[in-house]
Amino acid sequence: MRFRNLAGFGVALIIGAFCGSLIGPRPALAVAREIIELQREVTTLLQGQKDMGTQITQDHTVMRTLIEQSNDTVGKLNGTMSGLQKSVQDVQANSGARLDTMSTQVQGLSDNLEEIKSRLGKLNQQLVDLQNTIQSLDAKISGGSAPAGSVPSSTPGSASAPLAGSAAASGPAPSADTLYSNGLRDITSGKYDLARSEFEDYLKYYGDTDLASNAQFYLGEIAYSQRQYSQAVTEYDKVLTNYPKSFKLAPARLKKGMALIELGQKSSGVKELREVVKRYPGTEEERRARAKLKELGVAATAA
């Protein structure tokens, strides 16, 4: 029994060995193929990794170039912006003086227009008076109420007063119209010293006329244009004090306030500008006063 079992066990071993020899090589071949496939995949991955590294290096180079170009562009833009800011600051620094000069010129032209209107009105009235005189003389002559020889005697008599007046006006000094017109012409053309002399002469000889307050105001404008702000304040004060009914009160108070600010007297200047806002609503002077107060960072009305 024992021998039989040993024989069976031996046969089983032989059969197992035989079978193992038959089926053993096939799994080894499959494993070898998988290893070859894995090697190929690894080779492919390594090549892809290498290609990706090359592409990343190239992209990095391109990005660095773009960044350098962008930095150069930003630097140039910063330089351009700095130049523009400087230009804007220069324009803002000069705009105030230019606006003041233009305002003076516009006011001068406006006064010229008013003067022309006044002259036309006077000429029209003189024509009406002359026509009435002629009609009266014609009526007397045609009616026979006066002899023919009386007409020459009455004509010189009626003309003697204006002739005497014109001679007196044209004696030691030029006429009022000449002085005022010359002053306006010279101030609008920038001949400030000559214009000052002409307006001073106007006030000296014709200080009680309707245009005297204008002449006084333009003395302040001349001083302001020449940056003589203390003198300008004095001249504007004379307009406010001596000519309470002048239509130059609003611009005189406005420019007085601005002159005080230029002198460093901010509180006094702000007070004058607020008076302009309060007293002359709806005017160009009120608009300019509000703009200046806003520029100074203060309210248009006192708290």
Side-chain angles (χ1 to χ4, degrees), residues 6-20:
L6 289 172
F9 181 73
V11 172
L13 288 174
I14 293 170
I15 293 172
F18 178 75
C19 291

Side-chain angles (χ1 to χ4, degrees), residues 10-49:
V11 172
L13 288 174
I14 293 170
I15 293 172
F18 178 75
C19 291
S21 64
L22 291 176
I23 63 175
R26 290 192 178 182
L29 181 61
V31 170
R33 288 179 180 177
E34 290 180 358
I35 291 173
I36 292 172
E37 291 295 330
L38 287 173
Q39 289 176 345
R40 289 178 181 175
E41 291 179 0
V42 169
T43 302
T44 303
L45 289 173
L46 291 174
Q47 184 62 38
Q49 183 180 5

Side-chain angles (χ1 to χ4, degrees), residues 57-296:
T57 302
Q58 293 176 352
D59 292 344
H60 177 72
T61 303
V62 172
M63 288 297 295
R64 185 173 60 185
T65 303
L66 291 175
I67 290 172
E68 290 176 354
Q69 292 176 350
S70 299
N71 288 335
D72 291 340
T73 303
V74 170
K76 292 179 181 179
L77 287 175
N78 286 335
T80 303
M81 287 299 297
S82 298
L84 288 174
Q85 288 176 350
K86 186 177 184 303
S87 299
V88 170
Q89 290 174 353
D90 293 341
V91 170
Q92 289 177 343
N94 295 329
S95 61
R98 291 180 180 176
L99 286 174
D100 290 333
T101 302
M102 291 177 63
S103 175
T104 300
Q105 292 176 348
V106 170
Q107 289 177 351
L109 294 174
S110 176
D111 285 350
N112 270 328
L113 181 60
E114 293 296 330
E115 182 189 5
I116 291 173
K117 290 181 179 180
S118 176
R119 290 182 179 181
L120 288 175
K122 292 178 181 179
L123 288 175
N124 184 54
Q125 185 61 43
Q126 290 177 0
L127 287 175
V128 171
D129 293 342
L130 181 60
Q131 289 176 349
N132 291 336
T133 301
I134 292 174
Q135 290 176 357
S136 176
L137 290 174
D138 287 342
K140 288 181 180 180
I141 292 173
S142 61
S145 60
S150 65
V151 175
S153 62
S154 62
T155 302
S158 62
S160 60
L163 286 175
S166 63
S170 60
S175 67
D177 290 342
T178 299
L179 278 175
Y180 190 81
S181 299
N182 290 345
L184 284 179
R185 180 196 63 213
D186 291 330
I187 194 174
T188 53
S189 60
K191 300 177 182 178
Y192 296 128
D193 292 335
L194 184 58
R196 179 189 293 109
S197 176
E198 289 160 342
F199 285 127
E200 287 175 347
D201 285 344
Y202 187 93
L203 292 173
K204 178 180 179 181
Y205 295 106
Y206 311 104
D208 56 349
T209 61
D210 294 337
L211 296 176
S213 64
N214 292 22
Q216 182 62 59
F217 173 78
Y218 284 120
L219 289 177
E221 291 290 88
I222 292 169
Y224 192 96
S225 298
Q226 294 181 327
R227 301 181 183 276
Q228 300 172 0
Y229 299 117
S230 180
Q231 181 64 29
V233 171
T234 300
E235 302 295 353
Y236 292 135
D237 266 334
K238 291 180 181 179
V239 177
L240 300 173
T241 303
N242 299 337
Y243 307 97
K245 296 183 179 181
S246 172
F247 67 93
K248 290 294 185 183
L249 294 179
R253 192 173 292 277
L254 171 70
K255 295 303 289 290
K256 177 187 175 183
M258 291 186 172
L260 288 170
I261 292 171
E262 292 291 343
L263 289 171
Q265 303 176 26
K266 181 178 178 180
S267 59
S268 298
V270 167
K271 181 180 178 181
E272 293 294 337
L273 295 180
R274 284 173 172 170
E275 282 295 313
V276 174
V277 173
K278 177 181 177 181
R279 296 189 183 195
Y280 312 104
T283 62
E284 175 64 16
E285 287 76 17
E286 183 216 7
R287 186 192 66 79
R288 292 182 62 189
R290 285 184 179 274
K292 187 65 177 179
L293 290 169
K294 183 178 180 180
E295 177 185 333
L296 295 172

